[in-house]
Every structure is written in structure tokens, then in C-alpha cells.
Amino acid sequence: MSTGAIHSNDAPGADPAEKPDLVMVVDDDDDIAGFVGFNLKVHGFEVVRARDGQEALEMMETQRPALAVVDWMMPRMDGVELTRRLRAEPLTSALPVIMLTAKGMTVDKVVGLTAGVDDYLVKPFDTAELIARVSSTLRRNKEFREVSPLTGLPGNARVTREIVDRLKAGKEFAVGYIDIDRFKPVNDVYGFDRGDDFITTLAESVHRAATAAGRPSVFLGHIGGDDFVFICHPDQVLPLTKQMVTDFEASADQLYDPEDARRGYIEVPDRRGGKQRAALVTLSIGVAQSTTGGRHYDDYRAVVAVASEMKKVAKSQPGSYVAIDRRRLESEADDTLL
């Protein structure tokens, strides 16, 4: 049962990472706020300004900044109290905060860090340090948000960026889309906790297979539910998928109740009070390849579409199945797919 999807932007050929980040500058000093705002804009950021903590909280109701640069000493509400308030609100609890301060003492930094500050800029600071700290804090925050809490693997946005980067590099690569067959009956019969065990087991099997594949390193992603992605060199596809299928099937069999594993199926109650048999889980894997002798892609969405198409082909076959797109042109017949 597929519960995830690789999403795409609407702009043709757009890089989803190119949209500028909005930074809120919170400072009552016009000179410092102007300096920070000007340099952020020069380096490609969008900027909004609030003059104190109270105004910043009010603006947060309509603005959704990616990061806030906050002065410590301000009227009405200082930077430490503002950070505490931000951390207490669900919509802003994860907003990264960089504190501007003339207080370089360790005890002062501890106060800010305890309130939830992510990083510091001690006055006076220069443009290079400002941009470096803003950029690195945003990068860390995005990487944290894009990791699956269940498997620890990169999520949807990171997968998309990886495909875009491979296209820009112009080298051969393959994208594999992995899905667990008959995963829904597992959840229906055993519950979601057991279902999560199957997902983490697949993540472990995929990771072991990727490690065994050697160089170049295989990129792995978890885009939601029981859907995973790998990105590798085309020569790695067959050994990689063979090992992950063998490893997962052996490991997944151990997750079933002993009686179900022995007979090779589980019984799933239907709406009429009867029971339907669902065979043990297998894997369907669809693979799109961008190669010099085969198809070449200019848009990451086309790669995703072909991998998804191949996954549907794989799911139409019995047992674990890997469907690889071997067409040279989009118009070629389907009998060249596998």
C-alpha cells in the first residue's frame, strides 16, 4: 500500500531549493537593523523587520519567517523573553533564532541557550560572519526537519534536491522507488506499532544493501509511510535491489506471528464478517535511469514520474519485483521496460 509520494513544484524545471528564505530582523536600533537587513538582502534573503519582541510576536501571526535574527536588549520585550514565547507556541516552536548581543560572557550565553537560542552573534560582527551563521543555522534546521523521525533517513524535500543535483552534474544515475506490497493488511491485523516495525526493518535492509554496494555512495530517502527511494549509479541497481529484497523478506518474516509466518499468509477481516487471505509482504521497486546510451532527463519531475510508472509495473507482478525503465525514447514500446 503506497502512502507516500514524491511531490514536485509547478514551475517547469524549477529547483525547489531556489526560493529565498524569509528572515525576520528584530531590533530597535535602526542602524544595526539596517546593516543586517541590507546584507541579508544582498545575499539573496528576503527580510522583514520588527522593532521589539512584542511587535515580532504580532507579525508572526501573518508572517512565516524561516529564521529570526533577534537583538538581546530591546524595549517592551527583550530577545530572551521573545525566544521563550516563540518556543512556547506550536507554530513557532521550531523557528531558529540567532541572538545579537554585546554580552560575550558565558553566563549570558547560557541564559539565551536555555531560553532556546540556536546561535549567537557578538557585537561588533562583520558581514561574512553574519551570512555564515544565518546560512549554517538555516541549513541545520532544514536538514533536521527533512529527516524521517521513524527511520532517520532524509525526507521528500531532500530527495528532490538530490535528484536536481544529479541532473545538474550531468552524470549517469538511477532513481529507485520502493514500496511494500500488502502493507495495509499488516496494519489492519497487527496495528500501527507492528506496521512501524516493518518500515524500520525495510530501512535497515535498504541501508545494509547500500553499504554493501560500495562506491559511489548510494543515497537513501524515506518519503513517507512504506515508500523509500534510492539514488545510485545504474550499474549498482541490480546487486543493490537483489540484496535489499532478499534481506527484507527474510527479516520481515520474523515480524509475523509464528502461525501466520508458517502458513504464509494473514487473515484479514472484511466488511461482511468474513476473512480474506493476504500473502506475506514483498517489495515492488520501480527504477528510472538517466544514462548516456539511454534516456536523458532535464526535469526531475520526469525522473520521478518514470520511477512511479515502473513501480506500478512492478506491483502488477507476483512476489518481489524490480521494474527498470530501459527505453531510449519516451515513445518506445512498453516491452523494452524490464
Side-chain angles (χ1 to χ4, degrees):
M1 177 69 178
S2 175
T3 56
I6 306 177
H7 301 288
S8 61
N9 289 350
D10 294 332
D15 182 340
E18 289 181 352
K19 183 178 179 181
D21 290 305
L22 177 64
V23 177
M24 178 177 285
V25 178
V26 188
D27 200 320
D28 61 312
D29 188 308
D30 290 337
D31 291 336
I32 294 178
F35 173 80
V36 172
F38 173 79
N39 285 287
L40 288 173
K41 290 177 181 177
V42 166
H43 286 82
F45 297 97
E46 292 185 359
V47 178
V48 293
R49 181 196 174 186
R51 295 181 178 277
D52 56 49
Q54 186 61 46
E55 185 178 0
L57 287 178
E58 294 168 358
M59 292 177 66
M60 290 288 179
E61 296 178 3
T62 56
Q63 303 281 352
R64 289 291 180 266
L67 177 144
V69 178
V70 178
D71 190 32
W72 183 308
M73 302 298 293
M74 293 182 293
R76 293 206 297 173
M77 184 186 298
D78 65 21
V80 173
E81 180 60 24
L82 169 60
T83 303
R84 291 195 183 102
R85 299 279 190 94
L86 292 173
R87 295 292 174 256
E89 291 294 327
L91 288 178
T92 57
S93 61
L95 177 70
V97 175
I98 296 178
M99 186 76 76
L100 302 179
T101 179
K103 300 182 177 184
M105 298 294 292
T106 298
V107 64
D108 296 320
K109 292 183 178 180
V110 169
V111 171
L113 292 170
T114 302
V117 171
D118 294 275
D119 202 355
Y120 272 92
L121 270 172
V122 178
K123 304 173 186 175
F125 53 86
D126 60 23
T127 301
E129 184 181 11
L130 167 68
I131 300 305
R133 290 190 181 275
V134 168
S135 298
S136 63
T137 301
L138 280 170
R139 184 180 64 253
R140 290 195 305 269
N141 184 259
K142 288 177 181 178
E143 289 173 350
F144 175 77
R145 287 188 287 112
E146 291 171 2
V147 169
S148 164
L150 180 61
T151 64
L153 292 174
N156 206 320
R158 180 67 184 86
V159 169
T160 301
R161 286 206 306 275
E162 183 69 20
I163 298 173
V164 169
D165 289 344
R166 301 281 179 130
L167 289 173
K168 288 180 177 178
K171 297 181 180 180
E172 294 186 325
F173 70 95
V175 175
Y177 196 168
I178 311 167
D179 181 75
I180 302 178
D181 303 317
R182 294 173 299 282
F183 178 65
K184 185 177 184 300
V186 170
N187 275 335
D188 291 344
V189 173
Y190 292 140
F192 290 106
D193 285 343
R194 186 85 66 93
D196 284 351
D197 290 340
F198 279 78
I199 292 173
T200 55
T201 294
L202 176 55
E204 292 165 359
S205 295
V206 170
H207 186 269
R208 283 191 288 267
T211 301
R215 297 287 180 179
S217 297
V218 177
F219 175 90
L220 302 176
H222 181 197
I223 58 177
D226 59 318
D227 289 340
F228 290 75
V229 168
F230 64 84
I231 304 175
C232 65
H233 189 275
D235 291 343
Q236 295 173 300
V237 170
L238 290 179
L240 177 68
T241 54
K242 180 179 180 180
Q243 177 161 341
M244 71 174 64
V245 166
T246 303
D247 190 304
F248 174 71
E249 288 186 350
S251 300
D253 285 353
Q254 305 302 313
L255 299 176
Y256 285 95
D257 288 349
E259 182 180 352
D260 293 336
R262 177 183 54 79
R263 66 190 180 189
Y265 63 87
I266 56 177
E267 294 183 330
V268 186
D270 60 27
R271 296 179 181 178
R272 294 173 292 182
K275 292 185 177 180
Q276 301 291 325
R277 292 182 178 182
L280 304 186
V281 296
T282 52
L283 295 181
S284 289
I285 304 174
V287 181
Q289 300 185 116
S290 182
T291 62
T292 53
R295 296 181 71 171
H296 179 74
Y297 298 90
D298 297 316
D299 191 325
Y300 75 95
R301 292 169 298 183
V303 184
V304 170
V306 171
S308 299
E309 177 190 355
M310 292 300 97
K311 189 188 73 169
K312 292 178 181 178
V313 172
K315 291 188 80 69
S316 69
Q317 305 298 317
S320 290
Y321 200 90
V322 181
I324 303 174
D325 180 21
R326 301 191 188 280
R327 291 171 292 188
R328 293 177 178 273
L329 299 172
E330 189 172 353
S331 59
E332 286 186 355
D334 288 346
D335 60 7
T336 62
L337 297 180
L338 303 180

